[in-house]
Amino acid sequence: MSPVVEIEIWTDVVCPWCYIGKRRMDSAVAAYPGDVTVTYRAYQLDPTPVREPQPLVDALAAKFGGPEQVTAMTSRVTDIAAADGLRLDFSRAVAANTFDTHRLIRWAGSHGRQAELLEAAHRAHFTDGVDLNSHDALAGLAAEMGLDAASARAYLASSDGADEVRAEFAAARELGVSSVPTFVLAGKYAVVGAQDSATLLAALEQVARREAAAA
């Protein structure tokens, strides 16, 4: 009997490659004949506070050398995402600091809905133009999946979960995670980047064989 493969995924909500990587790992897990557990870990590409809503393309242009460079970048990733069934609309996206979104994802995890809220947050940011800096907007995402919006809003208004999210940032540094998505299988095998589903499936199968042999 194959051992259960534990998968930890370091990810950030505003990372398009993380959204693509999640979809591809979902496909790999669906095709994998054994059992897995999947836990998402928090990572921040940019911890800079966002003081007021700003179009993402403007924020990217200021960081990466202007509108032309951003158009080339976003067009490429949009086409790749479309091939995986994801629609990205960078023209609607709003720049966001994701700390509170990570906190709420942890909260949803305590209700068994971590992956669902992460998926909803990705879609809200990249497709629907939702401002993830807004606690009301985040509580609305929780409500859409049947969780209590008032409880979500109260959680966000508190400091609950902040230390745990910071601990995951620290764990990423200790592991040497410097880009996302990073998939860590069985606590010791890392796969970096939004690899295709076949590659992720092969990695799962190989790790399962190694773990079974070691046992």
Side-chain angles (χ1 to χ4, degrees):
M1 183 175 179
S2 297
V4 175
V5 178
E6 296 180 356
I7 306 171
E8 292 178 285
I9 305 174
W10 266 266
T11 185
D12 197 5
V13 176
V14 295
C15 165
W17 296 106
C18 293
Y19 194 12
I20 294 167
K22 180 182 184 301
R23 177 59 57 91
R24 292 176 175 179
M25 179 56 87
D26 287 346
S27 296
V29 167
Y32 178 65
D35 294 324
V36 304
T37 63
V38 180
T39 304
Y40 293 93
R41 302 296 187 192
Y43 189 94
Q44 267 194 311
L45 291 169
D46 186 355
T48 305
V50 176
R51 303 300 182 189
E52 58 184 30
Q54 178 186 22
L56 179 61
V57 290
D58 291 350
L60 292 175
K63 186 181 296 186
F64 293 111
E68 291 184 5
Q69 288 83 347
V70 170
T71 297
M73 290 166 49
T74 57
S75 295
R76 175 172 176 266
V77 72
T78 296
D79 290 344
I80 291 171
D84 284 281
L86 301 173
R87 184 170 69 86
L88 308 186
D89 187 350
F90 283 92
S91 68
R92 299 185 67 189
V94 179
N97 179 290
T98 55
F99 189 85
D100 282 341
T101 308
H102 284 304
R103 289 175 55 225
L104 193 66
I105 289 167
R106 285 189 58 85
W107 175 81
S110 70
H111 297 277
R113 312 294 287 277
Q114 185 191 39
E116 288 177 72
L117 187 54
L118 174 60
E119 180 82 16
H122 277 313
R123 184 174 58 252
H125 177 70
F126 284 110
T127 305
D128 300 332
V130 173
D131 181 6
L132 296 183
N133 301 293
S134 164
H135 286 185
D136 285 342
L138 290 174
L141 295 182
E144 287 174 10
M145 61 185 60
L147 298 174
D148 185 69
S151 296
R153 195 176 289 106
Y155 180 88
L156 290 166
S158 74
S159 61
D160 292 349
D163 288 344
E164 290 82 359
V165 168
R166 292 190 187 99
E168 293 191 351
F169 295 164
R173 290 191 294 271
E174 290 172 9
L175 287 170
V177 175
S178 59
S179 64
V180 285
T182 291
F183 307 91
V184 178
L185 311 181
K188 50 191 168 184
Y189 305 100
V191 179
V192 179
Q195 307 295 329
D196 60 66
S197 297
T199 298
L200 293 171
L201 176 58
L204 272 173
E205 293 170 340
Q206 183 179 39
V207 168
R209 288 192 297 269
R210 289 184 180 180
E211 293 297 289

